[in-house]
Amino acid sequence: MMGTSILGLAWRSLMNRRGSALLTILAVALSVALFLGVDKARNGARAGFDNTISGTDLIVGAPTGQINLLLYSVFRLGNATAEVSWDTYQQVAARGDIAWTIPVSLGDSHRGFRVMGTDQSYFEHYKYGDGQPLRLSEGERFGDIYQAVIGAGVARELGYEIGGEIVLTHGLGAGGLTDHDNRPFIVAGILAPTGTPVDQTIHIPLEGMTAIHVGWESGTKNPMADTITEEMIRSFDLTPRSITAIFVGLERRGTILSTQRAINTRPGEPLLAIIPGVALGELWQVTGVVERALIAVSVFVIAVGLVSVLTSILTSLNERRREMSILRATGARPGHIFFLMVAEAGLLGFIGAVLGVALVQLGLVLLGPVLSQTYGVQLQGLGVSFTDLWTVLAVTGAALVIGMIPAITALRRSLADGLTVKL
Amino acid sequence: MTDTPAIKIRDLGFAWPQSPPLLDIAGFDLARGEKLFLRGPSGSGKSTLLGLVAGVLEPQSGTIEVLGENMTGLAGSKRDRLRADRMGVIFQMFNLVPYLSVVQNVMLPCRFSAARRKAAGDDLAGEARRLLARLGLSDEKLLARPVTDLSVGQQQRVAVARALIGGPQLLIADEPTSALDADARDRFIELLTEEASGSGAALLFVSHDGSLASHFDRSVDLAEINRARATA
């Protein structure tokens, strides 16, 4: 009764100074929002990345950094610097300890979306999340060399439907001169949303990839390219000469390390085999330094927010001497005055922290779609979390502790002033 | 218990830090239910004496008994409790907490004292309104206004209602009429003494204005009982 009654006083007192109280609350809210935003971006990105590939034991590509290979093959970030020859791919695929392989060929784009050449094994073996397979929401897998299966994000963004035509662009440019306009693709299927870069990808058969590059062997369009008829192309051997990466599933997961070592040390064309989870772990180690720096900075920003709580209460004390002596005269004990001040600080901290949590949630609702659109990775685990509650508690607790400074000042003054303030 | 005086002061000595003695009172008594006018010019130590009686200040020597309790023998928290439970205080001006409504201001002592809360009954707001009505403040529109919008006279009457809530046995008023004009002053004192009589509380009313003495049972000049003359 006593406690709630003083809390009520503290609340009314804050409302009486709501202008400065709001600014203080805003300072706390923004600092908490920064802290939680950094934390959520970090955890959300990790969860999102971790969910992108599952069931693939090894990724094999030309020698490069393992993070680099992972980023361009799975997340479509960056570019491959070298390729794996088709013969080598065949040798790897033929290994006894390997159950299945998915060939992946990257390099072209369509209106900003990456194009990936692959084969039917992709639809059978590629898994994401906790082992979910890819599912077609409309249409069917590609059957002909000029058919494409597009991700849910591509379909939504570009408004494509089954039967639509797609002109691919050589490389990752904006289109125009480097369009493969002589060989359009037909949309055969649309994948159900996955929340992974698959949504932002256009999948075509490897043979199609080879076909559109007939006449492009030098890297630009040969003037004679348009004179090659479709019949001529179909009569060619369209097996690609090289691919970008191979996703590998093992017969038994137990051989993962020995298979990886065998591929990495095999004679002939040098290869790099990586374990997706290990490569991700290395990526998080690299980003961890930056994350920790950001977290440290945002903790300091919270401290600044708490100092503004202190400032706002301390500056109010002078104009409130009369109020304190009235409270004393009507029966408030020093403990009440102390509790009143501490409660005001605690309220400012608590409301600020809760508002900060709300700001972050609002920001995620508004910015989440933009992030997943841009990076193809959905931030995950974004509801109100244990960290949010913990942060609110910690900030409120810190504000209560800080509130003791003005509380002691007010206490001393009210004891010295007696019943009448000499103004 | 009730045959002990409301206030009993013996050989009281008080000085502010680094100052000459301000109060030196051999004896002073206020009976239960008595309404006493204490006159003294400003700076004569009236407010200090009230602070001592209210228990927010401690004398260097002597004893002060209030409502049968020896204040000088009590710890600070006990004195605070005694004031909260059994005294009502009215200031010169700015009596009200600016962020509370009129009724909440009147109920304020009940926030700090369970005894006052209990004495005021279950319906605290109703009791506050009853007291306000007796003091001529019953207009709902007036009660709904921020206290800072009330006239000084209205604010002082709210302060009286606050001092009265929960039936304290001792009312202390420190120049409560100094900011009022003559008409309002007389009406205010009539209301205050009437309410004090009605509740049976003793009233210690301090002012520099000797013309008010006629409203009270008894009048005492502080200069007559105070042997310290350092300030004057």
Side-chain angles (χ1 to χ4, degrees):
Chain A
M1 175 78 196
M2 199 76 91
T4 57
S5 154
I6 302 295
L7 207 57
L9 273 189
W11 172 254
R12 291 205 171 79
S13 159
L14 283 183
M15 285 296 102
N16 190 46
R17 291 172 286 125
R18 59 177 83 78
S20 79
L22 264 180
L23 284 178
T24 308
I25 286 170
L26 202 61
V28 175
L30 289 176
S31 69
V32 167
L34 177 68
F35 173 76
L36 291 177
V38 168
D39 187 64
K40 290 215 184 281
R42 172 175 80 149
N43 293 328
R46 285 191 177 193
F49 272 68
D50 288 346
N51 266 330
T52 293
I53 190 163
S54 135
T56 296
D57 297 312
L58 292 171
I59 299 171
V60 179
T64 172
Q66 66 166 339
I67 294 176
N68 197 27
L69 175 55
L70 178 82
L71 287 181
Y72 71 65
S73 66
V74 177
F75 298 104
R76 329 271 191 259
L77 295 169
N79 287 302
T81 46
E83 304 237 291
V84 178
S85 75
W86 186 256
D87 288 345
T88 304
Y89 165 53
Q90 292 301 321
Q91 289 163 26
V92 169
R95 287 181 62 93
D97 49 1
I98 286 175
W100 50 262
T101 57
I102 304 170
V104 170
S105 185
L106 296 160
D108 281 358
S109 66
H110 171 71
R111 295 176 65 179
F113 293 98
R114 297 284 182 116
V115 173
M116 182 176 123
T118 185
D119 64 16
Q120 301 292 334
S121 64
Y122 178 72
F123 300 103
E124 268 146 41
H125 298 301
Y126 187 84
K127 303 241 174 17
Y128 67 97
D130 44 4
Q132 288 127 282
L134 295 176
R135 207 171 48 74
L136 283 156
S137 64
E138 278 181 73
E140 51 194 15
R141 298 175 185 178
F142 45 68
D144 185 70
I145 59 171
Y146 289 123
Q147 284 186 339
V149 172
I150 61 178
V154 180
R156 191 181 58 237
E157 273 298 289
L158 302 181
Y160 286 168
E161 288 170 9
I162 303 294
E165 279 197 358
I166 300 178
V167 172
L168 304 187
T169 303
H170 192 67
L172 304 174
L177 276 180
T178 55
D179 280 353
H180 294 292
D181 49 4
N182 50 341
R183 316 269 178 248
F185 282 75
I186 309 295
V187 177
I190 298 172
L191 291 169
T194 62
T196 74
V198 169
D199 293 352
Q200 317 293 323
T201 303
I202 295 166
H203 309 84
I204 61 170
L206 282 173
E207 294 78 13
M209 190 70 118
T210 312
I212 54 171
H213 288 98
V214 168
W216 288 71
E217 289 78 2
S218 65
T220 54
K221 191 174 179 179
N222 185 315
M224 302 297 285
D226 286 340
T227 65
I228 307 171
T229 65
E230 178 145 358
E231 288 72 33
M232 288 167 71
I233 287 179
R234 285 183 188 274
S235 70
F236 293 163
D237 172 15
L238 291 173
T239 306
R241 276 186 229 153
S242 65
I243 56 175
T244 311
I246 315 162
F247 293 169
V248 173
L250 297 177
E251 289 286 354
R252 291 182 301 114
R253 291 215 69 195
T255 70
I256 189 161
L257 288 175
S258 59
T259 306
Q260 182 190 24
R261 194 163 47 244
I263 293 174
N264 281 338
T265 58
R266 68 188 280 284
E269 186 183 351
L271 288 178
L272 172 69
I274 62 166
I275 302 167
V278 173
L280 266 177
E282 190 180 302
L283 176 63
W284 300 145
Q285 263 181 16
V286 173
T287 59
V289 179
V290 181
E291 288 169 5
R292 277 193 292 279
L294 278 174
I295 290 284
V297 168
S298 53
V299 165
F300 277 110
V301 174
I302 287 189
V304 172
L306 287 172
V307 167
S308 77
V309 170
L310 179 61
T311 314
S312 109
I313 295 184
L314 275 179
T315 51
S316 78
L317 280 189
N318 261 337
E319 62 199 64
R320 296 176 65 191
R321 285 177 91 154
R322 162 67 58 176
E323 173 191 332
M324 295 302 147
S325 71
I326 295 170
L327 293 176
R328 288 277 287 145
T330 51
R333 289 190 289 283
H336 288 124
I337 302 287
F338 184 85
F339 186 63
L340 177 67
M341 290 290 126
V342 168
E344 282 187 22
L347 276 175
L348 288 173
F350 176 74
I351 298 170
V354 169
L355 188 65
V357 170
L359 278 178
V360 169
Q361 293 298 328
L362 182 73
L364 289 172
V365 168
L366 296 179
L367 289 180
V370 179
L371 286 177
S372 77
Q373 208 93 127
T374 315
Y375 297 106
V377 173
Q378 260 171 24
L379 299 183
Q380 298 195 358
L382 298 180
V384 175
S385 68
F386 183 71
T387 310
D388 294 349
L389 300 180
W390 183 88
T391 305
V392 169
L393 277 183
V395 169
T396 308
L400 289 173
V401 171
I402 277 183
M404 289 183 189
I405 296 169
I408 289 169
T409 311
L411 194 63
R412 287 214 182 114
R413 277 193 190 169
S414 75
L415 286 177
D417 282 348
L419 277 190
T420 41
V421 178
K422 288 158 236 40
L423 290 172
Chain B
M1 170 116 167
T2 42
D3 40 303
T4 57
I7 302 174
K8 180 177 166 189
I9 291 175
R10 294 291 177 269
D11 301 319
L12 174 79
F14 181 86
W16 287 102
Q18 279 99 46
S19 306
L22 179 62
L23 293 172
D24 177 8
I25 299 171
F28 172 78
D29 291 272
L30 176 66
R32 297 272 177 164
E34 187 182 18
K35 291 180 282 295
L36 180 100
F37 180 77
L38 182 65
R39 193 171 69 84
S42 47
S44 61
K46 305 184 305 270
S47 299
T48 306
L49 181 60
L50 292 189
L52 288 162
V53 168
V56 291
L57 299 175
E58 275 186 281
Q60 276 84 30
S61 59
T63 57
I64 306 173
E65 273 181 38
V66 175
L67 302 166
E69 301 276 353
N70 185 356
M71 298 294 270
T72 41
L74 288 178
S77 61
K78 291 262 177 61
R79 295 200 304 269
D80 288 333
R81 173 85 61 191
L82 180 70
R83 176 175 70 257
D85 289 349
R86 299 171 71 184
M87 290 185 223
V89 180
I90 305 157
F91 292 123
Q92 194 168 353
M93 55 200 298
F94 308 122
N95 262 292
L96 306 181
V97 178
Y99 51 80
L100 295 178
S101 73
V102 172
V103 171
Q104 283 165 346
N105 258 290
V106 174
M107 287 155 56
L108 192 58
C110 301
R111 281 183 195 256
F112 302 116
S113 163
R116 296 278 283 274
R117 192 160 56 236
K118 202 167 156 222
D122 291 333
D123 181 13
L124 283 183
E127 173 66 4
R129 283 168 190 281
R130 190 189 67 79
L131 287 166
L132 286 166
R134 287 188 62 94
L135 292 158
L137 299 171
S138 52
D139 182 3
E140 282 298 323
K141 264 192 237 147
L142 185 84
L143 297 187
R145 278 159 61 184
V147 292
T148 44
D149 282 5
L150 302 187
S151 73
V152 180
Q154 288 164 338
Q155 289 190 23
Q156 293 303 78
R157 279 184 279 162
V158 174
V160 172
R162 183 177 63 199
L164 287 168
I165 197 163
Q169 292 124 302
L170 176 59
L171 297 177
I172 298 173
D174 185 2
E175 300 256 20
T177 55
S178 65
L180 302 179
D181 58 40
D183 260 11
R185 190 181 60 205
D186 287 344
R187 256 185 315 172
F188 177 83
I189 293 178
E190 271 164 35
L191 275 174
L192 177 60
T193 51
E194 219 175 278
E195 289 305 313
S197 303
S199 69
L203 172 64
L204 178 57
F205 188 106
V206 178
S207 175
H208 67 277
D209 182 359
S211 67
L212 304 174
S214 58
H215 296 278
F216 297 86
D217 300 339
R218 185 157 68 97
S219 165
V220 172
D221 196 330
L222 183 57
E224 285 167 17
I225 58 168
N226 185 14
R227 297 176 297 194
R229 298 295 179 107
T231 49

